[in-house]
Amino acid sequence: QFSTFMLKQLDLTVEASNLEMFSENFNKANSSMPVKFPRKILASNNGGILVETYEEGISLSDLLELDRKRIPNVLDNQCFRKDLANVGLRAFLQMVLVDNYC
């Protein structure tokens, strides 16, 4: 069972399908939620290659690293922190509860 699970993780056709599903579900459900997913440009039939669009933005891990090092950044703004947490929670709940993605 473990090998089956791991092989699914390596199959980029599954990733391409997930990207399309997420994008469609988020566009359909709530266009006001600022969540963007890359779009698939090319996916090989054997699942070994996936080419996606590049989405401009700031990675959450980069923001958290700046915050951890106490380097001034947008997370210093408490309203931004609250909005970011709200978007993250709503996106997570939509994927798990509404879209039934596990």
Side-chain angles (χ1 to χ4, degrees), residues 6 21 38 44-45 58 62 67 74-75 85 89 92 95 102:
M6 290 308 294
M21 179 187 67
S44 65
N45 290 336
I58 302 169
D62 288 348
D67 199 50
V74 294
L75 291 178
L89 179 61
F92 173 77
M95 285 192 286
C102 311

Side-chain angles (χ1 to χ4, degrees), residues 1-2 7 9 32 55 57 62 82:
Q1 286 182 341
F2 179 73
L7 287 173
Q9 295 296 308
S32 68
E55 297 297 329
D62 288 348
K82 185 178 177 182

